[in-house]
Amino acid sequence: MRAISKKEYLLIIDDCESVYLIKTQNGKIYLLADMEYGGDYQQARIEQMNFELNIALKISEAVNECRECYNGGIYFMEYDEDTTDNVVIRDFIG
């Protein structure tokens, strides 16, 4: 794993559902947010949480597994039907 700049990150995003915000703490990895299509308009949206990930799995598998194990605990940032994926991605990256 290597750190990359925000500019590099934005250039390689080809699917907003594969964008994750993670943190590491005391040898554990936590999913803080991801992006999914959903809501009233089936638009890209930001989903915030704080779930520990299983580090033995690939990131996509770990995300799916942890989301299945938690009831609630996800805050959805919805956008209107005219918002593009690029706007949501830029909000997500900050």
Side-chain angles (χ1 to χ4, degrees), residues 24-80:
T24 59
Q25 183 176 8
N26 299 324
K28 296 181 180 182
I29 298 177
Y30 297 88
L31 176 64
L32 300 181
D34 68 0
M35 295 176 59
E36 299 281 341
Y37 286 100
D40 293 336
Y41 304 111
Q42 288 300 301
Q43 291 291 101
R45 64 183 181 183
I46 299 170
E47 300 181 352
Q48 297 177 317
M49 67 228 39
N50 188 13
F51 299 157
E52 185 178 347
L53 296 177
N54 180 345
I55 60 174
L57 301 174
K58 291 191 264 184
I59 185 74
S60 59
E61 294 169 351
V63 167
N64 287 337
E65 178 187 83
C66 81
R67 290 175 64 114
E68 291 172 0
C69 295
Y70 289 92
N71 289 329
I74 300 175
Y75 172 74
F76 301 97
M77 295 176 61
E78 303 280 353
Y79 290 81
D80 65 35

Side-chain angles (χ1 to χ4, degrees), residues 2 15 21 35 56 63 72 89:
R2 71 176 180 89
D15 174 13
L21 176 63
M35 295 176 59
V63 167
I89 291 168

